[in-house]
């Protein structure tokens, strides 16, 4: 692919975006914390699905920089340095800004304002009971110093979802309590308003909602530094696959090996295009006669083929920061207009619409 055909015509973007938005398709909202480059977990957990969703729905993707700050308040560069990285990742995998609105959370004031209104409808006890928040607080070892922004981020997510009137929210299974909490806020607000101002949303789960890291111990995650990035070099891919956990008791090729808990098979299930072939490999491995080296070679080739074109496109986008900013700005301006309307409705529900 040459530069001419891949780089987007940003001048035409605002016009095309407006045309797309005039449709009455159901609305989908997703987002990513701007805490690092995106990785293979994002690819199978959300990006692949977003490529399909952008063809069928009115999709908004939020670069969640404010949410990134909720556990990085004292290290804000981690967030600000990664905003354009995330946008470049979107474009590199094929998110098309003429079909999907890509926007920046901190530059949409209605999202923060809505958070303030909704905060009055949620008790601290309810936030503390949220299972995702509970386990994240434990794993982040905040001790007695939980940032208020972190504790309240489910309220901010409810603001994001409702501000875009999203009815479908693609999430990992760990995010289901956020949907529940959002819908509670929606019901409370509608009750106060005496009419249906906000709409409830439904989760959309992806096939792979928790891709493990190479050692199989944790979820692949930006903050844990255990990722295969979408622009990993050929050498990094080779090293990562070689390091993958297989079956500790599979010492000789002729021995039967275990598929359950074998990270190489988890990845083949997630990425290899031919599921029948993966089933044959599993049978062979369980029977004995298929070595870890040969198995890893198959996965490595598959990941090399997947990542090489993404890496190439990403390098092109990240070298044109002006274009990335232009795309993000156009999407954000569109989002500002859309979310302001919902904010006005919510303010009216509280009777705070004097002028
Ligand atoms: P951080 O460590 O900063 O929280 P992260 O790597 O967990 O970053 P997020 O921005 O929190 O990434 O995740 C955004 C979305 O990406 C999630 O809701 C989920 O759908 C998807 N996702 C992230 N990591 C994975 C993974 N390992 N497997 C599948 N999906 C994932
Ligand atoms: Mg996360």
């Amino acid at each position: 692919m040459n530069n001419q055909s891949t780089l987007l015509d940003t001048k035409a973007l605002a016009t095309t975006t407006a045309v797309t938005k005039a449709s009455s398709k159901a609305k989908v909202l997703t987002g990513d914390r701007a805490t690092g480059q995106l990785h293979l977990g994002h690819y199978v957990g959300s990006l692949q699905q977003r490529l399909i969703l952008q063809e069928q729905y009115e999709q908004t993707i939020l670069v969640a920089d404010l949410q990134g700050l909720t556990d990085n308040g004292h290290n804000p560069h981690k967030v600000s340095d990664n905003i354009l990285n995330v946008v470049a990742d979107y474009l590199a995998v094929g998110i098309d800004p003429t079909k999907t609105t890509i926007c920046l959370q901190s530059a949409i004031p209605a999202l923060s304002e809505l958070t303030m209104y909704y905060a009055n409808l949620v008790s601290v006890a309810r936030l503390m009971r949220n299972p995702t928040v509970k386990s994240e607080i434990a794993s982040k070892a905040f001790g007695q110093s939980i940032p208020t922004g972190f504790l309240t981020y489910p309220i901010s997510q409810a603001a994001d979802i409702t501000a875009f009137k999203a009815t479908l929210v693609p999430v990992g299974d760990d995010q289901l309590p956020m949907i529940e909490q959002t819908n509670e806020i929606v019901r409370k607000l509608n009750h106060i308003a005496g009419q249906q101002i906000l709409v409830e949303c439904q989760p959309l789960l992806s096939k792979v909602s928790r891709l493990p890291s190479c050692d199989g111990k944790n979820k692949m995650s930006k903050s844990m530094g255990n990722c295969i990035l979408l622009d990993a070099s050929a050498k990094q891919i080779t090293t990562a696959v070689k390091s993958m956990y297989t079956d500790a008791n599979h010492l000789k090729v002729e021995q039967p090996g275990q598929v359950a808990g074998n990270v190489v098979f988890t990845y083949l299930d997630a990425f290899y295009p031919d599921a029948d072939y993966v089933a044959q490999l599993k049978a062979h491995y369980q029977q004995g006669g298929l070595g870890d080296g040969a198995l890893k070679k198959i996965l490595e080739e598959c990941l090399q083929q997947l990542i090489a074109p993404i890496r190439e496109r990403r390098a092109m986008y990240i070298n044109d920061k002006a274009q990335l900013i232009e795309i993000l700005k156009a999407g954000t301006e569109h989002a500002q207009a859309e979310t302001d309307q919902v904010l006005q409705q919510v303010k009216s529900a509280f009777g705070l619409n004097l002028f």
Side-chain angles (χ1 to χ4, degrees):
M1 219 178 276
N2 64 30
N3 283 14
Q4 292 286 314
S5 62
T6 313
L7 290 177
L8 293 146
D9 178 358
T10 48
K11 287 201 190 98
L13 186 66
T15 330
T16 332
T17 305
V19 171
T20 315
K21 301 317 168 236
S23 69
S24 58
K25 293 174 185 170
K27 298 185 178 188
V28 180
L29 179 79
T30 60
D32 301 282
R33 287 154 48 91
T35 46
Q37 288 181 227
L38 301 187
H39 50 69
L40 284 182
H42 294 108
Y43 188 79
V44 281
S46 64
L47 295 170
Q48 251 182 339
Q49 195 181 37
R50 293 176 191 176
L51 294 178
I52 298 167
L53 291 171
Q54 74 178 351
E55 302 300 332
Q56 300 167 356
Y57 296 99
E58 193 177 318
Q59 177 168 253
T60 300
I61 301 182
L62 192 63
V63 179
D65 53 349
L66 284 181
Q67 195 183 319
L69 278 184
T70 60
D71 54 347
N72 288 295
H74 299 288
N75 183 21
H77 286 294
K78 181 167 175 194
V79 175
S80 54
D81 289 351
N82 280 302
I83 293 170
L84 297 185
N85 270 329
V86 171
V87 178
D89 285 327
Y90 293 155
L91 301 177
V93 297
I95 298 294
D96 177 350
T98 66
K99 295 176 180 165
T100 293
T101 302
I102 303 173
C103 54
L104 185 63
Q105 192 182 26
S106 66
I108 307 172
L111 302 182
S112 299
E113 286 194 51
L114 283 170
T115 304
M116 287 303 287
Y117 289 100
Y118 296 167
N120 302 305
L121 306 178
V122 184
S123 71
V124 174
R126 175 67 183 89
L127 289 167
M128 299 294 282
R129 269 201 316 275
N130 182 311
T132 307
V133 174
K134 232 171 156 173
S135 73
E136 285 179 340
I137 285 175
S139 74
K140 288 182 192 290
F142 288 131
Q144 293 303 304
S145 309
I146 306 165
T148 310
F150 190 86
L151 184 63
T152 57
Y153 92 77
I155 304 177
S156 155
Q157 279 195 349
D160 301 339
I161 294 168
T162 54
F164 289 98
K165 295 195 168 143
T167 49
L168 268 184
V169 185
V171 286
D173 54 0
D174 58 327
Q175 293 292 304
L176 290 175
M178 302 300 169
I179 304 291
E180 206 179 309
Q181 186 132 43
T182 296
N183 286 338
E184 278 175 29
I185 292 173
V186 167
R187 288 192 289 271
K188 281 186 184 171
L189 196 280
N190 287 343
H191 180 74
I192 290 166
Q195 57 175 308
Q196 194 189 326
I197 289 182
L198 303 178
V199 281
E200 289 192 35
C201 61
Q202 288 186 338
L204 190 65
L205 282 172
S206 63
K207 195 178 68 158
V208 183
S209 60
R210 193 172 278 259
L211 187 78
S213 54
C214 295
D215 61 9
K217 287 186 184 151
N218 293 296
K219 179 189 107 139
M220 184 177 283
S221 139
K222 293 187 221 99
S223 326
M224 292 194 190
N226 60 6
C227 306
I228 303 179
L229 298 177
L230 292 178
D231 72 343
S233 67
K235 197 163 168 228
Q236 284 169 332
I237 297 168
T238 309
T239 309
V241 175
K242 275 195 179 145
S243 78
M244 271 181 195
Y245 180 80
T246 53
D247 169 4
N249 297 317
H250 187 229
L251 301 173
K252 290 187 181 153
V253 174
E254 57 277 13
Q255 281 178 331
Q258 273 224 15
V259 166
N262 187 318
V263 178
V264 181
F265 279 112
T266 307
Y267 274 62
L268 285 170
D269 280 335
F271 295 100
Y272 202 84
D274 182 348
D276 290 341
Y277 182 60
V278 175
Q280 283 173 29
L281 291 175
K282 284 181 184 172
H284 191 179
Y285 194 79
Q286 282 167 324
Q287 191 193 320
L290 177 58
D292 285 356
L295 188 67
K296 286 183 172 180
K297 193 76 206 145
I298 295 166
L299 175 64
E300 195 213 321
E301 276 167 22
C302 161
L303 294 184
Q304 295 285 11
Q305 274 183 33
L306 173 76
I307 291 179
I310 299 176
R311 179 173 62 227
E312 206 176 300
R313 285 195 297 268
R314 190 184 189 284
M316 208 165 60
Y317 286 119
I318 206 69
N319 281 327
D320 189 351
K321 295 232 162 55
Q323 177 184 226
L324 294 176
I325 291 170
E326 199 49 50
I327 288 171
L328 192 57
K329 193 160 169 266
T332 302
E333 281 166 5
H334 176 78
Q336 283 164 349
E338 202 179 357
T339 54
D340 274 349
Q341 286 176 13
V342 175
L343 175 63
Q344 291 316 318
Q345 289 174 314
V346 169
K347 286 178 79 166
S348 299
F350 285 103
L352 298 175
N353 54 342
L354 210 51
F355 43 82

Short mmCIF file of all heavy atoms in Angstrom, two decimals, residues 31-46 50 67 71-72 78 136 140 170-175 206 208-213 219-224 227, ligand 1:
data_model
loop_
_atom_site.label_atom_id
_atom_site.label_comp_id
_atom_site.label_asym_id
_atom_site.label_seq_id
_atom_site.Cartn_x
_atom_site.Cartn_y
_atom_site.Cartn_z
N GLY A 31 -14.08 2.46 23.95
CA GLY A 31 -12.97 3.37 24.21
C GLY A 31 -11.78 2.64 24.79
O GLY A 31 -11.86 1.45 25.12
N ASP A 32 -10.68 3.34 24.86
CA ASP A 32 -9.47 2.78 25.45
C ASP A 32 -8.80 3.85 26.28
O ASP A 32 -8.75 5.02 25.87
CB ASP A 32 -8.50 2.33 24.34
CG ASP A 32 -9.14 1.30 23.44
OD1 ASP A 32 -9.20 0.14 23.84
OD2 ASP A 32 -9.60 1.67 22.35
N ARG A 33 -8.30 3.44 27.43
CA ARG A 33 -7.51 4.36 28.22
C ARG A 33 -6.24 4.69 27.43
O ARG A 33 -5.65 3.80 26.83
CB ARG A 33 -7.11 3.68 29.53
CG ARG A 33 -8.25 3.52 30.51
CD ARG A 33 -8.03 2.32 31.45
NE ARG A 33 -6.71 2.29 32.05
CZ ARG A 33 -6.40 2.86 33.22
NH1 ARG A 33 -7.30 3.50 33.92
NH2 ARG A 33 -5.19 2.77 33.71
N ALA A 34 -5.87 5.99 27.46
CA ALA A 34 -4.65 6.38 26.73
C ALA A 34 -3.45 6.16 27.63
O ALA A 34 -2.78 7.10 28.04
CB ALA A 34 -4.76 7.83 26.29
N THR A 35 -3.20 4.91 27.96
CA THR A 35 -2.11 4.62 28.90
C THR A 35 -0.96 3.86 28.24
O THR A 35 -0.03 3.43 28.91
CB THR A 35 -2.63 3.80 30.09
OG1 THR A 35 -3.45 2.74 29.58
CG2 THR A 35 -3.44 4.64 31.05
N GLY A 36 -1.02 3.70 26.92
CA GLY A 36 0.06 3.00 26.22
C GLY A 36 -0.40 2.60 24.84
O GLY A 36 -1.57 2.80 24.49
N GLN A 37 0.52 2.05 24.07
CA GLN A 37 0.14 1.56 22.74
C GLN A 37 -0.78 0.36 22.88
O GLN A 37 -0.74 -0.36 23.88
CB GLN A 37 1.41 1.12 21.99
CG GLN A 37 2.28 2.27 21.55
CD GLN A 37 3.50 1.78 20.78
OE1 GLN A 37 4.61 2.21 21.05
NE2 GLN A 37 3.31 0.86 19.83
N LEU A 38 -1.59 0.14 21.87
CA LEU A 38 -2.51 -1.00 21.93
C LEU A 38 -1.77 -2.29 21.57
O LEU A 38 -0.71 -2.28 20.93
CB LEU A 38 -3.71 -0.76 21.01
CG LEU A 38 -4.52 0.50 21.33
CD1 LEU A 38 -5.78 0.58 20.49
CD2 LEU A 38 -4.87 0.59 22.82
N HIS A 39 -2.34 -3.41 22.05
CA HIS A 39 -1.65 -4.69 21.94
C HIS A 39 -2.57 -5.76 21.36
O HIS A 39 -3.73 -5.48 21.01
CB HIS A 39 -1.10 -5.09 23.30
CG HIS A 39 -2.12 -5.02 24.43
ND1 HIS A 39 -3.19 -5.87 24.53
CD2 HIS A 39 -2.21 -4.18 25.50
CE1 HIS A 39 -3.90 -5.59 25.61
NE2 HIS A 39 -3.34 -4.54 26.21
N LEU A 40 -2.06 -6.98 21.28
CA LEU A 40 -2.86 -8.06 20.68
C LEU A 40 -4.14 -8.35 21.45
O LEU A 40 -5.12 -8.80 20.87
CB LEU A 40 -2.02 -9.35 20.58
CG LEU A 40 -0.98 -9.38 19.45
CD1 LEU A 40 -0.26 -10.73 19.45
CD2 LEU A 40 -1.61 -9.13 18.08
N GLY A 41 -4.14 -8.08 22.76
CA GLY A 41 -5.37 -8.24 23.55
C GLY A 41 -6.45 -7.31 23.04
O GLY A 41 -7.61 -7.70 22.90
N HIS A 42 -6.07 -6.08 22.74
CA HIS A 42 -7.03 -5.13 22.17
C HIS A 42 -7.50 -5.60 20.80
O HIS A 42 -8.66 -5.44 20.45
CB HIS A 42 -6.42 -3.73 22.04
CG HIS A 42 -6.10 -3.10 23.35
ND1 HIS A 42 -4.83 -2.93 23.80
CD2 HIS A 42 -6.91 -2.61 24.32
CE1 HIS A 42 -4.85 -2.34 24.99
NE2 HIS A 42 -6.10 -2.15 25.33
N TYR A 43 -6.56 -6.17 20.04
CA TYR A 43 -6.92 -6.57 18.67
C TYR A 43 -8.05 -7.60 18.70
O TYR A 43 -9.07 -7.42 18.06
CB TYR A 43 -5.68 -7.13 17.94
CG TYR A 43 -5.97 -7.38 16.49
CD1 TYR A 43 -5.99 -6.32 15.58
CD2 TYR A 43 -6.27 -8.65 16.02
CE1 TYR A 43 -6.30 -6.53 14.25
CE2 TYR A 43 -6.58 -8.87 14.69
CZ TYR A 43 -6.59 -7.80 13.81
OH TYR A 43 -6.91 -8.01 12.50
N VAL A 44 -7.88 -8.67 19.48
CA VAL A 44 -8.94 -9.70 19.50
C VAL A 44 -10.09 -9.34 20.44
O VAL A 44 -11.22 -9.78 20.24
CB VAL A 44 -8.43 -11.11 19.91
CG1 VAL A 44 -7.75 -11.79 18.78
CG2 VAL A 44 -7.58 -11.06 21.15
N GLY A 45 -9.79 -8.53 21.46
CA GLY A 45 -10.82 -8.20 22.44
C GLY A 45 -11.75 -7.09 22.00
O GLY A 45 -12.89 -7.01 22.45
N SER A 46 -11.28 -6.22 21.12
CA SER A 46 -12.16 -5.11 20.73
C SER A 46 -11.96 -4.60 19.31
O SER A 46 -12.93 -4.34 18.61
CB SER A 46 -12.03 -3.96 21.73
OG SER A 46 -10.73 -3.43 21.70
N ARG A 50 -14.71 -3.89 16.34
CA ARG A 50 -15.04 -2.51 15.95
C ARG A 50 -15.01 -2.34 14.43
O ARG A 50 -15.72 -1.50 13.89
CB ARG A 50 -14.06 -1.53 16.58
CG ARG A 50 -14.20 -1.45 18.08
CD ARG A 50 -13.14 -0.54 18.66
NE ARG A 50 -13.07 -0.65 20.10
CZ ARG A 50 -12.18 -0.02 20.85
NH1 ARG A 50 -11.29 0.75 20.28
NH2 ARG A 50 -12.18 -0.16 22.15
N GLN A 67 -9.89 9.00 31.95
CA GLN A 67 -9.92 7.74 32.71
C GLN A 67 -8.50 7.21 32.93
O GLN A 67 -8.20 6.62 33.96
CB GLN A 67 -10.78 6.69 32.01
CG GLN A 67 -11.09 5.55 32.97
CD GLN A 67 -11.89 4.43 32.33
OE1 GLN A 67 -12.81 4.69 31.57
NE2 GLN A 67 -11.53 3.20 32.64
N ASP A 71 -5.60 6.65 37.58
CA ASP A 71 -4.55 6.00 38.37
C ASP A 71 -3.16 6.48 37.93
O ASP A 71 -2.15 5.84 38.20
CB ASP A 71 -4.65 4.46 38.31
CG ASP A 71 -4.67 3.94 36.90
OD1 ASP A 71 -4.84 4.72 35.96
OD2 ASP A 71 -4.50 2.71 36.72
N ASN A 72 -3.13 7.63 37.23
CA ASN A 72 -1.84 8.19 36.80
C ASN A 72 -1.76 9.69 37.05
O ASN A 72 -1.04 10.40 36.35
CB ASN A 72 -1.63 7.93 35.30
CG ASN A 72 -1.36 6.46 35.01
OD1 ASN A 72 -0.33 5.93 35.43
ND2 ASN A 72 -2.28 5.81 34.33
N LYS A 78 2.34 9.83 31.10
CA LYS A 78 2.01 8.48 30.63
C LYS A 78 0.74 8.54 29.77
O LYS A 78 0.57 7.79 28.83
CB LYS A 78 1.81 7.54 31.82
CG LYS A 78 1.49 6.14 31.39
CD LYS A 78 1.59 5.15 32.52
CE LYS A 78 1.14 3.78 32.04
NZ LYS A 78 0.90 2.86 33.11
N GLU A 136 -9.84 -4.06 41.15
CA GLU A 136 -8.78 -3.17 40.63
C GLU A 136 -8.10 -2.42 41.77
O GLU A 136 -6.88 -2.27 41.77
CB GLU A 136 -9.37 -2.19 39.61
CG GLU A 136 -9.66 -2.86 38.27
CD GLU A 136 -10.25 -1.91 37.24
OE1 GLU A 136 -10.79 -0.86 37.61
OE2 GLU A 136 -10.19 -2.24 36.06
N LYS A 140 -4.13 -2.69 42.45
CA LYS A 140 -3.29 -1.50 42.27
C LYS A 140 -2.62 -1.06 43.57
O LYS A 140 -1.84 -0.11 43.58
CB LYS A 140 -4.11 -0.35 41.67
CG LYS A 140 -4.43 -0.61 40.20
CD LYS A 140 -5.20 0.51 39.55
CE LYS A 140 -5.75 0.11 38.20
NZ LYS A 140 -4.73 -0.06 37.15
N PRO A 170 -19.60 -2.55 23.55
CA PRO A 170 -18.71 -3.71 23.54
C PRO A 170 -17.74 -3.64 24.71
O PRO A 170 -17.07 -2.63 24.88
CB PRO A 170 -17.95 -3.56 22.20
CG PRO A 170 -18.73 -2.56 21.42
CD PRO A 170 -19.37 -1.66 22.42
N VAL A 171 -17.72 -4.69 25.51
CA VAL A 171 -16.85 -4.69 26.70
C VAL A 171 -16.24 -6.07 26.94
O VAL A 171 -16.75 -7.07 26.45
CB VAL A 171 -17.65 -4.34 27.99
CG1 VAL A 171 -17.99 -2.88 28.06
CG2 VAL A 171 -18.90 -5.20 28.13
N GLY A 172 -15.16 -6.08 27.72
CA GLY A 172 -14.64 -7.34 28.22
C GLY A 172 -15.52 -7.77 29.39
O GLY A 172 -16.26 -6.94 29.94
N ASP A 173 -15.45 -9.06 29.77
CA ASP A 173 -16.36 -9.53 30.83
C ASP A 173 -16.14 -8.79 32.16
O ASP A 173 -17.05 -8.65 32.96
CB ASP A 173 -16.26 -11.06 31.01
CG ASP A 173 -14.84 -11.52 31.25
OD1 ASP A 173 -13.92 -10.67 31.28
OD2 ASP A 173 -14.63 -12.74 31.41
N ASP A 174 -14.91 -8.27 32.35
CA ASP A 174 -14.63 -7.56 33.60
C ASP A 174 -15.37 -6.22 33.67
O ASP A 174 -15.43 -5.60 34.73
CB ASP A 174 -13.12 -7.32 33.74
CG ASP A 174 -12.54 -6.53 32.57
OD1 ASP A 174 -13.04 -6.69 31.45
OD2 ASP A 174 -11.59 -5.77 32.79
N GLN A 175 -15.92 -5.79 32.54
CA GLN A 175 -16.57 -4.48 32.53
C GLN A 175 -18.10 -4.58 32.70
O GLN A 175 -18.78 -3.55 32.71
CB GLN A 175 -16.26 -3.76 31.21
CG GLN A 175 -14.79 -3.37 31.06
CD GLN A 175 -14.37 -2.29 32.03
OE1 GLN A 175 -14.97 -1.22 32.07
NE2 GLN A 175 -13.37 -2.57 32.85
N SER A 206 -17.05 -9.81 23.42
CA SER A 206 -16.27 -10.32 22.30
C SER A 206 -15.92 -11.78 22.55
O SER A 206 -16.04 -12.28 23.67
CB SER A 206 -15.01 -9.50 22.11
OG SER A 206 -14.22 -9.65 23.26
N VAL A 208 -13.00 -13.21 22.53
CA VAL A 208 -11.86 -13.31 23.45
C VAL A 208 -11.85 -12.06 24.33
O VAL A 208 -11.47 -10.99 23.89
CB VAL A 208 -10.52 -13.37 22.67
CG1 VAL A 208 -9.35 -13.56 23.61
CG2 VAL A 208 -10.56 -14.47 21.62
N SER A 209 -12.32 -12.21 25.56
CA SER A 209 -12.41 -11.00 26.38
C SER A 209 -11.24 -10.89 27.36
O SER A 209 -11.17 -9.95 28.13
CB SER A 209 -13.74 -10.95 27.12
OG SER A 209 -13.85 -12.07 27.95
N ARG A 210 -10.33 -11.85 27.30
CA ARG A 210 -9.21 -11.80 28.24
C ARG A 210 -8.02 -12.57 27.67
O ARG A 210 -7.73 -13.70 28.09
CB ARG A 210 -9.68 -12.44 29.55
CG ARG A 210 -8.79 -12.23 30.74
CD ARG A 210 -9.48 -12.75 31.97
NE ARG A 210 -10.42 -11.77 32.47
CZ ARG A 210 -10.16 -10.97 33.50
NH1 ARG A 210 -9.03 -11.05 34.13
NH2 ARG A 210 -11.05 -10.10 33.91
N LEU A 211 -7.30 -11.97 26.73
CA LEU A 211 -6.12 -12.64 26.18
C LEU A 211 -5.01 -12.61 27.23
O LEU A 211 -4.68 -11.55 27.74
CB LEU A 211 -5.65 -11.92 24.90
CG LEU A 211 -4.53 -12.63 24.14
CD1 LEU A 211 -5.09 -13.82 23.35
CD2 LEU A 211 -3.78 -11.68 23.21
N PRO A 212 -4.43 -13.79 27.55
CA PRO A 212 -3.39 -13.77 28.59
C PRO A 212 -2.05 -13.24 28.06
O PRO A 212 -1.83 -13.18 26.85
CB PRO A 212 -3.26 -15.26 28.96
CG PRO A 212 -3.68 -16.00 27.76
CD PRO A 212 -4.69 -15.13 27.05
N SER A 213 -1.19 -12.89 28.97
CA SER A 213 0.19 -12.54 28.60
C SER A 213 0.91 -13.84 28.24
O SER A 213 0.38 -14.94 28.45
CB SER A 213 0.87 -11.86 29.78
OG SER A 213 0.76 -12.68 30.92
N LYS A 219 -3.80 -11.15 32.54
CA LYS A 219 -4.35 -10.60 31.31
C LYS A 219 -3.27 -9.74 30.66
O LYS A 219 -2.53 -9.05 31.37
CB LYS A 219 -5.56 -9.73 31.71
CG LYS A 219 -6.27 -9.06 30.57
CD LYS A 219 -7.31 -8.06 31.11
CE LYS A 219 -6.82 -6.65 30.90
NZ LYS A 219 -7.79 -5.67 30.45
N MET A 220 -3.16 -9.81 29.34
CA MET A 220 -2.23 -8.88 28.68
C MET A 220 -2.76 -7.47 28.93
O MET A 220 -3.94 -7.21 28.70
CB MET A 220 -2.18 -9.17 27.18
CG MET A 220 -1.19 -8.31 26.44
SD MET A 220 -1.05 -8.73 24.68
CE MET A 220 -0.08 -10.21 24.73
N SER A 221 -1.93 -6.60 29.46
CA SER A 221 -2.42 -5.28 29.82
C SER A 221 -1.30 -4.24 29.72
O SER A 221 -0.16 -4.52 30.07
CB SER A 221 -2.99 -5.34 31.24
OG SER A 221 -2.64 -4.22 31.97
N LYS A 222 -1.68 -3.05 29.24
CA LYS A 222 -0.69 -1.98 29.04
C LYS A 222 0.09 -1.72 30.32
O LYS A 222 1.30 -1.59 30.30
CB LYS A 222 -1.40 -0.68 28.66
CG LYS A 222 -2.08 -0.68 27.33
CD LYS A 222 -2.56 0.74 27.06
CE LYS A 222 -3.93 0.81 26.45
NZ LYS A 222 -4.98 1.10 27.44
N SER A 223 -0.64 -1.63 31.45
CA SER A 223 0.03 -1.23 32.70
C SER A 223 0.99 -2.30 33.22
O SER A 223 1.84 -1.99 34.04
CB SER A 223 -0.99 -0.97 33.81
OG SER A 223 -2.13 -0.44 33.30
N MET A 224 0.82 -3.53 32.79
CA MET A 224 1.68 -4.58 33.34
C MET A 224 2.93 -4.79 32.49
O MET A 224 3.80 -5.59 32.86
CB MET A 224 0.90 -5.88 33.43
CG MET A 224 -0.18 -5.82 34.47
SD MET A 224 -0.77 -7.46 34.81
CE MET A 224 -2.18 -7.10 35.79
N CYS A 227 3.01 -6.99 27.13
CA CYS A 227 2.24 -6.97 25.88
C CYS A 227 3.03 -7.34 24.64
O CYS A 227 4.23 -7.08 24.56
CB CYS A 227 1.70 -5.57 25.65
SG CYS A 227 0.79 -4.95 27.03
P1 LIG B 1 -4.58 -0.56 31.34
O1 LIG B 1 -3.57 -1.57 31.80
O2 LIG B 1 -4.09 0.85 31.32
O3 LIG B 1 -5.91 -0.68 32.05
P2 LIG B 1 -5.47 -2.26 29.19
O4 LIG B 1 -4.40 -2.95 28.44
O5 LIG B 1 -6.24 -3.03 30.23
O6 LIG B 1 -4.84 -0.93 29.80
P3 LIG B 1 -7.81 -0.81 28.42
O7 LIG B 1 -7.66 0.50 27.71
O8 LIG B 1 -8.14 -0.79 29.88
O9 LIG B 1 -6.47 -1.65 28.15
O10 LIG B 1 -8.84 -1.75 27.67
C1 LIG B 1 -9.78 -1.31 26.76
C2 LIG B 1 -10.57 -2.50 26.25
O11 LIG B 1 -9.69 -3.36 25.53
C3 LIG B 1 -11.17 -3.41 27.35
O12 LIG B 1 -12.45 -3.05 27.73
C4 LIG B 1 -11.22 -4.76 26.66
O13 LIG B 1 -12.39 -4.87 25.87
C5 LIG B 1 -10.03 -4.72 25.70
N1 LIG B 1 -8.88 -5.46 26.23
C6 LIG B 1 -7.84 -4.96 26.91
N2 LIG B 1 -6.96 -5.92 27.23
C7 LIG B 1 -7.47 -7.07 26.75
C8 LIG B 1 -7.05 -8.44 26.76
N3 LIG B 1 -5.91 -8.81 27.30
N4 LIG B 1 -7.84 -9.35 26.15
C9 LIG B 1 -9.00 -8.99 25.56
N5 LIG B 1 -9.46 -7.74 25.52
C10 LIG B 1 -8.71 -6.78 26.10
#
